[in-house]
Amino acid sequence: MSLHRELLLPLADEAATAALAQRLAPCLAPGWVIHLVGPLGAGKTTFVRAMLRALGHTGPVKSPTYGLVEPYTVSGLNLYHFDFYRFATPEEFFGAGLDEYFDGTGVCLVEWPEKAAPHTPAPDLTLALAPRPDGSREARLTASTPRASECLDRLAPSR
């Protein structure tokens, strides 16, 4: 099982993004950190919403752009959805006390992690979403830990 394994997947529409989230959800366990990267409108919050639904959350899911973090307890997991888009400096990560969420007991889904770099913990998985000219999206999943690599092995299309 190699680290930094990559998987590139086309996402034809929002339903395909939701299907990817549903396939990833069973991999999650306390301590996971997932970085969500891509331009505005790439589908990062849509992915988080679909993942929460896959885990059984039935309530509202909102973007944490203004509140910085939205906590959820679902399927026995404490899941924290972060959005650092509005950070002016990386030090705001500590100023807001967000480092305390990364103690290994929850699952952290982080939008715009580069805005808090180098303070955000290294991800298990990075999901990069990129719009394509035809309106679809492309997902590049990069595993940086053995458990994320194992998850990508299960997600890879059979040949």
Side-chain angles (χ1 to χ4, degrees), residues 15-35:
T17 301
L20 174 60
Q22 289 170 344
R23 292 175 60 208
L24 273 172
C27 294
L28 298 182
W32 269 72
V33 175
I34 299 177
H35 285 181

Side-chain angles (χ1 to χ4, degrees), residues 11-87:
L11 301 174
D13 52 24
E14 192 171 319
T17 301
L20 174 60
Q22 289 170 344
R23 292 175 60 208
L24 273 172
C27 294
L28 298 182
W32 269 72
V33 175
I34 299 177
H35 285 181
L36 303 162
V37 298
L40 284 171
K44 298 178 294 290
T45 300
T46 297
F47 175 84
V48 171
R49 184 175 294 114
M51 181 163 279
L52 284 162
R53 296 283 182 248
L55 290 168
H57 180 73
T58 57
V61 177
K62 62 181 183 173
S63 175
T65 301
Y66 293 100
L68 301 178
V69 62
E70 288 292 330
Y72 301 90
T73 300
V74 59
S75 294
L77 294 172
N78 291 320
L79 192 140
Y80 305 105
H81 179 199
F82 299 90
D83 186 333
F84 300 149
Y85 179 74
R86 299 206 176 274
F87 276 9

Side-chain angles (χ1 to χ4, degrees), residues 68 87 89-100 119:
L68 301 178
F87 276 9
T89 68
E91 287 65 35
E92 290 181 56
F93 177 76
F94 292 116
L98 299 176
D99 54 314
E100 296 174 12
H119 307 306

